[in-house]
Amino acid sequence: MARAVDRRTNRRNIAEISMFGTTQLHYRHPWVVAWWSAAFPGTGHLLLQKYTRGFLLFIWEMFVNTKSQLNMAMVYSFNGQIDQAKAVLDLRWMALYAPVYLFTIYDSYRTCVDMNKFTMLAKHEDAPIKSFCLGPFEINYLDKRKPWIAFVWSLLAPGMGYLYAHRIVNALFATVTWIVFVYFSKLYVVMYHSLMGQIELALAAIDWEWFMYIPSIYCFTAYDAYVSTVESNKLFEAELKQYFRSDYGSTDALPRLTPKES
């Protein structure tokens, strides 16, 4: 006789908690994801927690953008120096850059739409949520955290908001990236001269090629740390509801109360 198939087996989990962070499915707006991909390729995929693809596209953006001198061409264009922009732009690398740039926007939008569908199915299946992970290097657990604290720490030092939200992989990548951008752009040297009123020295010190990366990564880490904390709080509440429903949800376990006789 054929063995009966358990139709209640969950095909999709809503979250996975590990030593290095919490990976979870939750609803995202496809146009927001696509916008971040347009601002800096790879960040849209990082929002979707597609880390391998996101990191590869992020590194590709840094490498090809620098080789093509696209940021310098943009700086010259913003200042109305069109001839200098044309002269500095390397069309050989730019021809490689454009297709991948468009692909990141398209693929992040498409992936977000698909993952929203998976999120709906996972919520319907209501698979058990793991709330605690004890490993040899780290302890991770679901609890309530304040999103605005993650946001503020990200503004003070990009990557620290991720640590607050216990996203170790994101924190490592954001911290290393921030150090590279700040060092090569000479951001803190520029800030020092600016605070001392030495504007000419500040303008002479800045490296625009690397400085143009900073606004996107700075805003992205603050936004993503905030959203990650909000969604982690929702996951904590969902796990708590599962626990109470499984342990106290049955009416048979409750004492039966009889109406008081008049």
Side-chain angles (χ1 to χ4, degrees):
M1 188 178 207
R3 186 176 179 180
V5 178
D6 184 5
R7 297 296 181 184
R8 300 184 62 185
T9 300
N10 299 107
R11 297 181 62 197
R12 302 169 185 87
N13 294 324
I14 197 69
E16 179 66 29
I17 185 169
S18 68
M19 293 184 297
F20 303 107
T22 304
T23 305
Q24 65 182 107
L25 292 172
H26 63 84
Y27 294 111
R28 301 170 179 87
H29 199 295
W31 285 112
V32 173
V33 174
W35 186 90
W36 278 113
S37 291
F40 202 115
T43 54
H45 290 86
L46 292 179
L47 277 179
L48 298 172
Q49 299 181 33
K50 304 275 287 185
Y51 294 122
T52 303
R53 190 177 305 186
F55 293 153
L56 288 175
L57 291 172
F58 194 100
I59 295 171
W60 169 269
E61 160 68 15
M62 291 175 56
F63 179 76
V64 180
N65 190 317
T66 303
K67 287 293 186 179
S68 66
Q69 296 287 300
L70 177 61
N71 283 347
M72 285 303 304
M74 292 173 62
V75 171
Y76 285 129
S77 299
F78 294 156
N79 286 276
Q81 300 171 326
I82 306 300
D83 291 335
Q84 288 88 334
K86 292 180 180 179
V88 76
L89 190 63
D90 191 329
L91 295 179
R92 295 173 301 175
W93 287 100
M94 193 61 197
L96 294 173
Y97 178 86
V100 178
Y101 178 78
L102 296 176
F103 171 79
T104 58
I105 299 173
Y106 160 78
D107 189 59
S108 63
Y109 182 93
R110 177 196 62 82
T111 304
C112 183
V113 172
D114 288 342
M115 292 185 67
N116 284 343
K117 296 176 182 178
F118 292 142
T119 301
M120 177 184 65
L121 294 172
K123 285 180 177 291
H124 177 73
E125 292 179 17
D126 197 26
I129 300 173
K130 184 180 178 182
S131 63
F132 189 87
C133 176
L134 179 63
F137 301 106
E138 188 61 75
I139 302 172
N140 187 17
Y141 51 89
L142 296 178
D143 69 339
K144 281 277 192 173
R145 294 181 172 93
K146 294 181 172 58
W148 68 268
I149 294 182
F151 182 80
V152 170
W153 275 116
S154 292
L155 294 180
L156 294 175
M160 298 304 101
Y162 285 131
L163 282 181
Y164 175 77
H166 201 98
R167 303 294 172 106
I168 306 299
V169 176
N170 303 60
L172 178 62
F173 186 77
T175 302
V176 172
T177 303
W178 180 250
I179 292 173
V180 172
F181 289 167
V182 167
Y183 178 81
F184 285 104
S185 68
K186 302 178 182 178
L187 175 63
Y188 292 141
V189 176
V190 174
M191 292 176 62
Y192 170 78
H193 288 309
S194 300
L195 292 173
M196 298 299 292
Q198 301 167 341
I199 306 302
E200 293 182 358
L201 291 177
L203 293 175
I206 191 170
D207 188 327
W208 288 105
E209 183 67 37
W210 289 93
F211 182 82
M212 291 289 288
Y213 292 127
I214 290 179
S216 296
I217 191 64
Y218 185 73
C219 295
F220 171 76
T221 55
Y223 170 81
D224 191 32
Y226 181 91
V227 172
S228 297
T229 308
V230 170
E231 296 301 330
S232 180
N233 289 344
K234 293 179 182 178
L235 188 64
F236 169 79
E237 294 175 354
E239 190 280 329
L240 203 60
K241 289 178 181 178
Q242 280 188 351
Y243 171 74
F244 285 129
R245 196 163 55 234
S246 62
D247 281 34
Y248 305 104
S250 175
T251 55
D252 295 334
L254 298 177
R256 296 185 177 274
L257 301 178
T258 56
K260 185 177 180 180
E261 295 182 358
S262 57

